[in-house]
Amino acid sequence: MKTKINWALKSLIILFALCCLGCQNKASNPITEKDIHIIPKPKDLKLGSGHFVFTEKTKLYVPNNDHLGAADVLLNRFKNAANWDLEVVKDLPSTNFIQFKNNGNLDHEAYTLNVNNTHVTIEANSFSGFSYGIQTLRQLLPSEIESQQPIESVVWEVPQVMITDSPRFKWRGLMLDVSRHFFQKEYIMETIDRLAYHKMNTLHLHLVDDQGWRIEIKKYPKLTDIGAYRVDQEDKPWNARPPQKEEVNNLYGGYFTQEDIKDIVAYAERRGVNVVPEIEMPAHVTSAIASYPEFSCLEEPVTVPSGGLWPITDIYCAGKESTFEFLENVLTEVMALFPSKYIHVGGDEATKTNWKTCKHCQKRMQLEGLKNVEELQSYFIKRMERFISSKGRILIGWDEILEGGLAPGATVMSWRGVKGGLEASSEGHDVVMTPGTHCYFDHYQGPMDTEPKAWGGFTPVSKVYEFDPVVDSMTQAQAEHVLGGQANLWAEYIPTTAHSEYMIFPRLAALSETLWSPKTNRSWAEFSSRLVPLFKRYEYQGINYARSAYAITAETEVNDSTHVITVALKTEFPDTDIRYALNDDHLETSGTSYTMPIEIDSTTTIRASRYDHNAPVGQVFNKTFNYHKAVGKPVTYNTLYSNSYQGKGANNMVNIVRGTKNFHDGQWQAWIGNNMDLVIDLESSTELSEVTIGTMENQGPSIYFPTQIEVLLSTDGKSFSSVGKIDRPFKVNPTIELKDFTIRFNKQQATHVQVKAVSLKKTPSGGGAWLFVDEIVVN
């Protein structure tokens, strides 16, 4: 009897063990390829029917110590998220392990990932390949793997897959501008981790610009003693900051010591990321000239500017031998710190005014037989290229280095569209494509009315996803010279790391896929379905990513005959559940599902929200279309608006649709250095009591509120009488602001309304001031 009981007990124990093993080798839910959200998308993925489950006993078999850095990523994730210390072993286990296996037949950054029920194998031919394989495995795990704190009750399982993967382009980069606003070493390292996570392999550090020199050069200590600091004017608009006074203390700034740089480079190497230094020349170097005026043409003392500077005339003197000695000494120290094959020298936006009159530069042009200052810049870059190539490195610069003739071994970074890349590749030069249209992450990525301050332009994540470094008109030979692409985050308007993260993510995810994945294997609709789950991983990682792609935007059309407005609502994500309400209807309780554009013909407020699981989420879209007594009436302009900002033409001021903070949205009319004066013909006698003028101020790009507004009425269109005036003295305003100026008066009849707005005409720095006006509301 006892034997039977023992046997029954043993049978139950065996059955329980088999069930536990079965639980480990059976996925919680059957999955399909649509449930796999890897970004960037792998080249080839085949999904099996089983899965692999990580346990506390899972081992990492890493026979080559050089690959331990790739394994560390996974070890750290499990330590943080599960409080497990997974073991690294040198002998191959029999089951429940991750295996690193060298495969000499694979390309440098390629890898294969094979997951079955008992183990995971990553094959590669380099550290980078193993690193990318680990990053893919990381994204196959539940999103909780990104947690910074242990999470209980998570089944750490990955589906059975066979992935063969390699990048389309070998240069996949991000440029961080640390000159305009300085970021500490720790943030640079965080960014390196995130680049590796997205399989990006290049961090371009913009270390020098007018507003700050950010790298220690031991031979020239004043570069950081003086050039790394400026007066703190962070409370003022970037392009409206007055010149620094010599007696004012420099409070804003910082720089990387050479030990900091060594730490950054070593950290990047352990993540498979190459750090490319940029040392600007011959322009964007006011911080250097402030430190050592003798290397400029005028040799006059200057201060480090705390904001925008244009034109950039304090540049290195191209005629002095001492200038080149200085730059060669600087670059020698830089190259000792950065093992990068490429050394970036800038070369952009040099205003060569001083070169035209400098005796040293003129003598250099005569000796070298140079026809103009453009050829002198070419001489400058070619000379630096010879020095850099003599050290076994490659010079890379912005596309202005093409001007006057390109150095034979130089590589071009094309930012002013794709023209520079087309020209350089046609001449046999390698190029990195980074056009402002798709790759400038300092542009807005959502409606400006709801976004933090940015440089301008509009580059949403869906537009980044359209980027292709290879231009359709390129020949096959030209295409082979395209190294890849890069995003640039200029930091004029980015004072904090949180703001920097907001501008980078999730646009970096879109860029990573355009540079990694085969073009034929991609679509925005499919990518966007993988992007949403990535946001949860960002949240676990503590990344302050932008949710701008969720924002509801409206496209409006006005029928000039009927004045009916058609409003189309959308987000960047296809098939978004949008619901809306009109006027006083409650969006939460009586919202209507948006299925087609909304037509309105009277004053109407539209409120809309994205819905998730039958509940409103995110920011509510709220816009009022105000039908007033001048809608569609003829407008005569006594002073004509600029050709650059014509709005919707003659009826723009009375077409109901209001302009946004994006002054390029096509709704604004503008005058530069001139007043606005216009007359609205109401076509019949109409009782009026107020007139409102919509304006914008954005002092960065020299857009200022009017200093005076006056409204005049007439009953015959000939004789006008003033009914009100507003005077507004100039004020410094660091924000972008939309403001309605309203002039109220006693009710009276009129057939014509004249509106005058006085422009500031000249900015505080002496340039032309813009006056932007949109709707004139007459009631």
Side-chain angles (χ1 to χ4, degrees):
M1 185 69 177
K2 184 176 179 181
T3 302
K4 289 182 179 180
I5 292 173
N6 288 342
W7 174 249
L9 182 61
K10 289 179 179 178
S11 298
L12 286 172
I13 292 172
I14 292 170
L15 180 61
F16 178 75
L18 289 172
C19 288
C20 290
L21 184 61
C23 288
Q24 284 190 351
N25 290 281
K26 184 176 181 180
S28 302
N29 295 296
I31 67 169
T32 67
E33 286 193 26
K34 289 184 178 180
D35 299 310
I36 295 176
H37 307 126
I38 301 167
I39 294 176
K41 188 175 184 178
K43 190 174 185 178
D44 183 71
L45 183 150
K46 293 181 174 61
L47 181 64
S49 57
H51 66 283
F52 175 82
V53 178
F54 284 85
T55 71
E56 197 168 1
K57 300 299 183 182
T58 300
K59 294 179 172 57
L60 274 71
Y61 171 57
V62 186
N64 189 333
N65 288 337
D66 293 341
H67 302 150
L68 285 174
D72 281 345
V73 172
L74 197 62
L75 295 172
N76 292 337
R77 290 291 88 235
F78 274 109
K79 178 61 178 176
N80 290 342
N83 200 25
W84 291 350
D85 291 305
L86 299 185
E87 186 180 358
V88 177
V89 298
K90 296 297 184 183
D91 296 320
L92 184 65
S94 59
T95 190
N96 191 17
F97 63 92
I98 314 299
Q99 175 185 10
F100 281 27
K101 186 176 181 180
N102 285 301
N103 185 339
N105 294 321
L106 292 175
D107 292 337
H108 173 66
E109 292 186 300
Y111 70 93
T112 64
L113 175 66
N114 188 0
V115 179
N116 61 35
N117 291 343
T118 63
H119 65 279
V120 176
T121 300
I122 300 173
E123 295 188 26
N125 190 26
S126 69
F127 171 83
S128 293
F130 287 112
S131 178
Y132 299 145
I134 285 291
Q135 298 294 357
T136 295
L137 182 61
R138 180 177 170 182
Q139 290 197 36
L140 287 170
L141 282 157
S143 60
E144 289 85 351
I145 195 65
E146 308 301 339
S147 174
Q148 306 304 308
Q149 303 294 330
I151 300 178
E152 297 181 357
S153 303
V154 177
V155 180
W156 301 107
E157 63 185 13
V158 293
Q160 181 175 314
V161 292
M162 178 62 195
I163 292 175
T164 303
D165 204 8
S166 60
R168 182 181 173 206
F169 294 101
K170 59 184 178 182
W171 186 300
R172 306 179 304 280
L174 169 70
M175 186 279 291
L176 280 184
D177 171 10
V178 294
S179 174
R180 274 56 176 265
H181 285 98
F182 180 63
F183 301 126
Q184 298 291 339
K185 174 178 69 174
E186 291 72 20
Y187 177 67
I188 304 303
M189 291 177 171
E190 286 181 351
T191 303
I192 288 168
D193 281 334
R194 294 159 184 175
L195 286 171
Y197 183 69
H198 292 83
K199 300 185 177 71
M200 304 286 278
N201 65 1
T202 302
L203 175 63
H204 169 181
L205 284 181
H206 186 76
L207 294 164
V208 174
D209 215 298
D210 298 297
Q211 294 81 11
W213 185 286
R214 305 299 181 199
I215 179 172
E216 178 188 21
I217 303 297
K218 293 186 181 297
K219 194 174 183 66
Y220 301 101
K222 287 193 289 186
L223 287 173
T224 45
D225 291 346
I226 297 173
Y229 296 93
R230 64 184 190 235
V231 65
D232 188 344
Q233 299 192 71
E234 295 300 301
D235 60 330
K236 299 179 179 64
W238 180 260
N239 285 325
R241 296 177 181 179
Q244 176 179 333
K245 297 179 181 178
E246 290 189 20
E247 66 271 15
V248 176
N249 291 330
N250 296 340
L251 301 175
Y252 181 88
Y255 63 92
F256 299 118
T257 66
Q258 293 201 358
E259 289 305 311
D260 289 335
I261 294 295
K262 291 175 184 177
D263 290 345
I264 289 169
V265 169
Y267 191 86
E269 286 179 344
R270 293 195 298 272
R271 297 294 182 268
V273 174
N274 179 48
V275 184
V276 176
E278 181 180 358
I279 306 298
E280 276 273 12
M281 60 185 78
H284 284 288
V285 293
T286 307
S287 57
I289 301 303
S291 307
Y292 295 97
E294 61 266 32
F295 300 128
S296 68
C297 294
L298 301 181
E299 300 184 12
E300 294 176 353
V302 297
T303 57
V304 179
S306 59
L309 179 68
W310 194 262
I312 304 168
T313 56
D314 286 311
I315 67 178
Y316 291 134
C317 178
K320 297 175 183 175
E321 281 301 306
S322 59
T323 299
F324 293 99
E325 179 184 353
F326 163 75
L327 289 171
E328 289 176 3
N329 289 336
V330 167
L331 289 178
T332 296
E333 290 195 34
V334 168
M335 287 187 281
L337 296 169
F338 293 90
S340 170
K341 177 181 177 181
Y342 293 91
I343 304 297
H344 205 299
V345 298
D348 61 313
E349 297 181 331
T351 302
K352 308 171 188 69
T353 304
N354 293 343
W355 284 6
K356 293 178 180 179
T357 57
C358 171
K359 62 180 181 180
H360 304 289
C361 291
Q362 291 301 308
K363 182 177 180 181
R364 174 82 67 188
M365 290 172 64
Q366 184 179 8
L367 289 173
E368 299 293 337
L370 307 176
K371 298 176 183 177
N372 49 48
V373 290
E374 284 70 32
E375 290 191 3
L376 181 58
Q377 173 158 340
S378 177
Y379 166 86
F380 191 113
I381 297 299
K382 287 178 178 177
R383 181 162 173 175
M384 297 313 303
E385 191 273 335
R386 288 194 298 272
F387 173 76
I388 290 171
S389 64
S390 74
K391 303 298 182 181
R393 310 295 182 92
I394 297 174
L395 178 146
I396 185 169
W398 305 109
D399 55 53
E400 283 94 332
I401 67 174
L402 285 160
E403 296 170 4
L406 186 59
T411 296
V412 170
M413 192 167 274
S414 184
W415 72 277
R416 295 179 298 178
V418 298
K419 182 180 178 182
L422 286 169
E423 182 181 341
S425 62
S426 69
E427 296 175 5
H429 292 272
D430 287 344
V431 297
V432 176
M433 303 299 281
T434 178
T437 51
H438 293 78
C439 297
Y440 268 44
F441 284 8
D442 54 332
H443 291 178
Y444 286 93
Q445 56 191 311
M448 285 180 62
D449 295 14
T450 60
E451 289 287 297
K453 179 75 171 175
W455 179 260
F458 182 55
T459 309
V461 64
S462 57
K463 187 173 183 180
V464 175
Y465 196 75
E466 296 171 357
F467 172 59
D468 191 334
V470 175
V471 182
D472 289 341
S473 60
M474 282 182 171
T475 65
Q476 180 61 36
Q478 285 179 285
E480 290 175 358
H481 281 290
V482 178
L483 300 179
Q486 175 176 291
N488 297 320
L489 184 58
W490 301 103
E492 287 92 339
Y493 298 137
I494 303 175
T496 67
T497 57
H499 193 171
S500 179
E501 290 176 3
Y502 186 92
M503 304 303 281
I504 295 171
F505 303 100
R507 289 188 284 193
L508 189 75
L511 184 70
S512 75
E513 185 149 306
T514 68
L515 298 176
W516 179 280
S517 307
K519 187 176 181 180
T520 55
N521 198 27
R522 298 190 289 106
S523 74
W524 167 253
E526 195 272 336
F527 169 78
S528 62
S529 71
R530 285 180 285 117
L531 184 61
V532 174
L534 182 65
F535 292 164
K536 186 65 176 177
R537 294 177 181 268
Y538 283 169
E539 289 167 14
Y540 276 121
Q541 293 178 48
I543 296 174
N544 183 40
Y545 69 94
R547 294 159 177 81
S548 312
Y550 284 131
I552 295 174
T553 58
E555 292 182 353
T556 57
E557 290 187 10
V558 181
N559 187 309
D560 291 335
S561 300
T562 64
H563 309 309
V564 170
I565 299 177
T566 303
V567 183
L569 304 177
K570 66 175 184 177
T571 73
E572 287 195 76
F573 295 110
D575 304 320
T576 301
D577 182 4
I578 298 175
R579 305 182 195 182
Y580 71 94
L582 304 181
N583 298 324
D584 296 329
D585 292 343
H586 292 286
L587 180 61
E588 295 78 8
T589 57
S590 56
T592 302
S593 291
Y594 175 82
T595 57
M596 59 187 299
I598 306 162
E599 291 189 349
I600 58 175
D601 59 4
S602 60
T603 296
T604 303
T605 297
I606 299 176
R607 287 177 297 113
S609 178
R610 180 177 66 89
Y611 271 64
D612 188 20
H613 295 94
N614 219 34
V617 292
Q619 190 166 21
V620 173
F621 170 88
N622 191 324
K623 193 173 185 69
T624 298
F625 298 88
N626 185 6
Y627 280 75
H628 53 92
K629 295 179 180 180
V631 170
K633 301 301 182 182
V635 180
T636 301
Y637 291 86
N638 296 327
T639 56
L640 191 62
Y641 42 80
S642 167
N643 287 332
S644 300
Y645 298 98
Q646 303 183 51
K648 298 300 180 182
N651 290 328
N652 185 83
M653 291 296 186
V654 288
N655 73 347
I656 309 166
V657 180
R658 300 296 300 270
T660 67
K661 288 183 178 179
N662 178 7
F663 61 88
H664 293 297
D665 67 7
Q667 297 293 341
W668 292 95
Q669 291 180 333
W671 291 257
I672 184 166
N674 199 6
N675 300 332
M676 182 198 79
D677 185 351
L678 58 81
V679 176
I680 303 170
D681 183 355
L682 300 177
E683 299 183 313
S684 64
S685 183
T686 306
E687 186 177 72
L688 307 177
S689 61
E690 67 176 38
V691 175
T692 298
I693 298 91
T695 65
M696 174 196 290
E697 185 159 77
N698 183 354
Q699 294 184 3
S702 302
I703 300 171
Y704 294 84
F705 283 142
T707 58
Q708 185 185 88
I709 294 174
E710 184 177 16
V711 172
L712 304 93
L713 302 182
S714 173
T715 56
D716 59 6
K718 298 178 182 178
S719 177
F720 287 83
S721 299
S722 177
V723 292
K725 183 186 294 186
I726 295 174
D727 289 304
R728 184 193 177 279
F730 163 75
K731 298 177 182 178
V732 173
N733 182 4
T735 64
I736 302 175
E737 186 178 354
L738 303 180
K739 188 175 181 64
D740 287 345
F741 292 94
T742 299
I743 294 178
R744 296 180 176 88
F745 44 88
N746 294 330
K747 291 182 180 179
Q748 54 187 286
Q749 297 291 126
T751 59
H752 295 77
V753 178
Q754 184 176 16
V755 181
K756 297 180 179 180
V758 177
S759 167
L760 185 64
K761 294 187 176 61
K762 293 288 185 182
T763 69
S765 60
W770 284 98
L771 169 65
F772 270 65
V773 183
D774 181 24
E775 192 78 359
I776 296 178
V777 180
V778 179
N779 285 308

